Amino acid sequence: MTTEAPVPVGAMPRMRTRKGVPASARGMRAAIYVRLSRETEESTSPERQRAACESLCEVRGWTVVAVEEDIDVSGFSRGLERPGLQRILSRLADFDVIVFFKIDRLARSTVDFAEIMKIAETANVGLASASEPLDLTSSMGRAMAKVIAVFAELESDTIGMRVSNAHEHLRREGRWTGGRVPYGYRVADNPGGAGKVLEVDKTESDTVHEIVKRVLDKDSLMKIATDLTAAGIPSPGHSSRQTTGKRSESKKWYTTTLRSLLTNPQLLGQVIEDGKPILRTDGLPLVTRPPILDMDTWQALQDELERRANPGERRREGTSLLRGILHCSLCGFRMYTFVSGGKIRYRCIGRLKKAQSGEGNGCYGVTIAAEALEEYITADFLKTFAKIPVVRLVEHAGEDFRPQIRQAEEALKDLQKDRYERGLFKGDDGAERYAEQYASLEERAASLKEKQRHAKPAGVETVPTGQTHGQMFKAADVAGKRELLLNCGAFVEVGPGKKGVRKLDDSRLGVYYGDEGLIRRSGGRLKG
């Protein structure tokens, strides 16, 4: 028996196969394709797929010139955009046949499989399955392959639906099904049985409560994010707390990170899927884990964040202390800062505003030095309010069971139609099953109506913060201090200055707090 030296791949002649000619001809060049979505004990391992494909090539006398793999890559979600598959499709001139373990390894949808067949046919390249007795180079074989692909797609959809239903069932039982762990929680063994659950992480929960407290105390999100970063507290996406998904090695916090965290209803213990809370049969959000925030605090937090997001309500941070507080006594317009001679001053822009509209208002543009004025107002404010405790207003959302009552009553009507109009509840036990369901719904409707009679009304409650105005003013940034002044009704009028007077002349000032300041503000002196 003589042996021949192997022929280099590049020197092998290209064997063209005509449509309808079986792909069993010897000497063809084969590319093996292996794909696995997720390697588990139940999956066909890459090694087994490759061995089966190599065995087919050996039996048919084909030469394997390339092996490409897509591991942990979904054929359903990625379509044809798979690195290994693309490498094969980009060099079809080097192959005569593409070998794969099963059709569902090559494509998970009929559309994708048909597209691959079309591309291969155009390049005169055959397709061969290592575990399915199909001749994919014949017309009948291609037709049968498409039929198999249809069933493969159906099986994929069925598996996806089954997995989705199983996950939803586990979530409704309070089990953790994987993914990114919400900030404030950690994964723990299920004390009630198999699987995992989420429990409150005390360290992260304390961080959430501190963030919420500072937001309600009017601290800016930028300041909070800066402080968290300086303290070295890992951000929600840091790799130290996330084992899967998008992770970061940076512990830096951003205002977007804070806003995303503080607006996530998972802080209430709600279960989220596709960005929305999963609802119970009564239409209320499903809560299967201990909440980090109570409903009143959550509502107050959302109101504060909404106020800051509203351009009409938001006050610019990092600007002057008395912005929105200082007004010209001549025309009533607000006063803004400008720089003159290297120093900051406040001035009225009422004359400029009126000139733009072609009017005059008799104001020549009152100005005053910023530093001395701010020191004076700060001292005056602290003299009055320093020892007064700060309280925050917490709005109670109240309880309203009327939507649930309507839902229960509609369910009763549908049940009646099921029996008397649609002819359901047949058989010997039909009447008994109908009566049982009707009684259950009737009992639920009655229970909800009783709850509505004793529902907690909406209202506003004052909650002590444990700090005085002086303590909070000292710790706050410029925006926080201005917020405290505004909350206390601070309203300052500045009159014309006297010639030759360089120091602050407090006789030019009218300083008001409380109800008087609020009345003056609401009286129309908010121009500019």
Side-chain angles (χ1 to χ4, degrees):
M1 182 177 180
T2 60
T3 58
E4 297 180 358
V7 180
V9 172
M12 292 184 67
R14 174 66 188 263
M15 178 172 288
R16 296 289 179 175
T17 60
R18 298 187 306 275
K19 290 183 180 181
V21 177
S24 58
R26 305 182 70 81
M28 296 207 300
R29 294 175 295 181
I32 293 177
Y33 177 69
V34 174
R35 184 185 67 80
L36 193 65
S37 294
R38 183 172 299 171
E39 192 167 359
T40 64
E41 293 179 358
E42 295 79 15
S43 302
T44 305
S45 69
E47 292 76 16
R48 285 182 56 198
Q49 292 185 43
R50 180 169 178 170
C53 293
E54 289 176 342
S55 178
L56 175 68
C57 293
E58 183 179 355
V59 169
R60 295 194 178 184
W62 298 341
T63 302
V64 178
V65 298
V67 177
E68 295 292 352
E69 296 182 347
D70 282 321
I71 307 301
D72 200 18
V73 176
S74 169
F76 186 78
S77 62
R78 295 288 294 274
L80 301 188
E81 297 302 319
R82 294 170 255 155
L85 178 61
Q86 285 298 317
R87 286 192 291 270
I88 288 179
L89 297 179
S90 66
R91 49 180 296 208
L92 289 178
D94 298 334
F95 314 130
D96 296 301
V97 63
I98 300 173
V99 183
F100 44 87
F101 181 68
K102 288 178 64 177
I103 288 180
D104 66 359
R105 298 299 89 197
L106 185 64
R108 272 297 198 182
S109 75
T110 309
V111 173
D112 289 344
F113 181 73
E115 182 66 20
I116 293 173
M117 282 187 63
K118 181 179 178 181
I119 294 172
E121 286 176 4
T122 302
N124 211 16
V125 174
L127 301 175
S129 170
S131 59
E132 295 155 335
L134 292 175
D135 178 4
L136 302 181
T137 60
S138 68
S139 298
M140 183 60 69
R142 286 192 295 273
M144 289 300 297
K146 290 179 180 178
V147 172
I148 292 177
V150 170
F151 282 99
E153 181 179 3
L154 176 61
E155 180 186 7
S156 174
D157 292 342
T158 303
I159 292 172
M161 182 66 70
R162 194 159 55 239
V163 170
S164 177
N165 290 340
H167 280 188
E168 182 171 356
H169 174 71
L170 291 175
R171 282 192 290 265
R172 289 187 180 278
E173 286 191 338
R175 299 261 291 277
W176 174 242
T177 58
R180 171 163 287 197
V181 180
Y183 194 83
Y185 293 93
R186 63 186 175 196
V187 180
D189 292 331
N190 182 11
K196 301 288 185 179
V197 296
L198 290 184
E199 65 179 14
V200 174
D201 183 299
K202 187 177 186 309
T203 301
E204 292 184 356
S205 174
D206 290 345
T207 300
V208 171
H209 282 285
E210 178 61 25
I211 293 171
V212 172
K213 180 179 180 301
R214 292 186 61 178
V215 171
L216 295 177
D217 287 342
K218 309 303 181 183
D219 271 10
S220 67
L221 294 183
M222 180 66 75
K223 179 70 165 59
I224 297 173
T226 302
D227 292 345
L228 290 170
T229 302
I233 298 174
S235 62
H238 189 257
S239 57
S240 64
R241 63 176 310 276
Q242 293 293 349
T243 56
T244 60
K246 187 176 180 181
R247 292 170 290 172
S248 171
E249 296 303 321
S250 172
K251 293 185 178 181
K252 189 171 183 180
W253 288 73
Y254 300 90
T255 55
T256 52
T257 307
L258 285 173
R259 189 170 287 277
S260 176
L261 167 64
L262 298 175
T263 55
N264 193 334
Q266 291 189 101
L267 294 175
L268 293 171
Q270 296 180 11
V271 184
I272 305 300
E273 182 181 13
D274 296 332
K276 297 180 180 179
I278 293 179
L279 302 180
R280 303 183 319 199
T281 55
D282 59 7
L284 295 177
L286 177 66
V287 177
T288 61
R289 59 186 71 124
I292 293 176
L293 299 180
D294 61 78
M295 183 56 73
D296 288 340
T297 303
W298 166 264
Q299 193 60 55
L301 175 64
Q302 302 314 304
D303 290 344
E304 174 61 21
L305 293 174
E306 185 179 354
R307 184 194 66 79
R308 298 187 186 197
N310 187 341
E313 293 285 341
R314 185 175 62 246
R315 300 184 178 96
R316 287 162 52 183
E317 299 176 1
T319 57
S320 55
L321 176 66
L322 301 179
R323 179 183 175 88
I325 296 173
L326 217 58
H327 293 75
C328 173
S329 66
L330 296 180
C331 64
F333 273 86
R334 290 178 178 176
M335 299 178 68
Y336 298 86
T337 54
F338 74 106
V339 178
S340 174
K343 293 186 178 182
I344 299 175
R345 297 180 66 85
Y346 286 94
R347 68 176 171 188
C348 170
I349 61 171
R351 183 178 60 174
L352 176 62
K353 287 278 188 180
K354 289 293 184 179
Q356 289 175 342
S357 60
E359 304 176 28
N361 66 349
C363 180
Y364 58 84
V366 174
T367 69
I368 191 169
E371 184 178 359
L373 176 62
E374 289 177 353
E375 289 178 355
Y376 177 85
I377 298 300
T378 296
D380 188 72
F381 171 77
L382 293 176
K383 179 181 177 181
T384 306
F385 292 94
K387 296 182 180 180
I388 298 177
V390 177
V391 297
R392 61 183 175 90
L393 301 179
V394 177
E395 184 177 352
H396 297 289
E399 296 176 324
D400 187 2
F401 298 95
R402 286 174 294 181
Q404 299 173 51
I405 293 172
R406 284 196 300 270
Q407 186 182 44
E409 290 175 342
E410 288 172 1
L412 282 169
K413 292 178 182 178
D414 286 341
L415 192 63
Q416 290 174 335
K417 289 181 180 179
D418 284 344
R419 183 181 186 187
Y420 299 109
E421 295 181 19
R422 303 184 181 108
L424 303 182
F425 295 98
K426 297 179 180 179
D428 296 337
D429 62 342
E432 184 179 346
R433 287 186 289 109
Y434 171 78
E436 184 179 345
Q437 291 187 31
Y438 194 91
S440 177
L441 280 172
E442 205 170 33
E443 182 180 354
R444 171 166 174 72
S447 174
L448 289 170
K449 289 177 181 178
E450 182 64 24
K451 287 182 178 180
Q452 182 64 31
R453 280 193 287 269
H454 300 88
K456 181 177 69 174
V460 178
E461 177 186 4
T462 57
V463 178
T465 63
Q467 289 183 294
T468 63
H469 280 77
Q471 293 170 328
M472 192 170 288
F473 193 89
K474 182 178 180 181
D477 57 8
V478 173
K481 291 175 179 178
R482 183 174 64 250
E483 197 74 37
L484 284 171
L485 286 167
L486 288 166
N487 288 343
C488 290
F491 186 94
V492 179
E493 289 180 325
V494 180
K498 299 176 182 178
K499 292 184 179 181
V501 178
R502 294 187 174 274
K503 293 183 178 181
L504 178 67
D505 179 9
D506 58 10
S507 65
R508 301 175 57 189
L509 307 177
V511 184
Y512 308 94
Y513 299 109
D515 292 340
E516 189 175 3
L518 294 172
I519 290 172
R520 285 178 172 267
R521 187 180 306 281
S522 63
R525 304 185 69 81
L526 286 170
K527 301 176 184 178

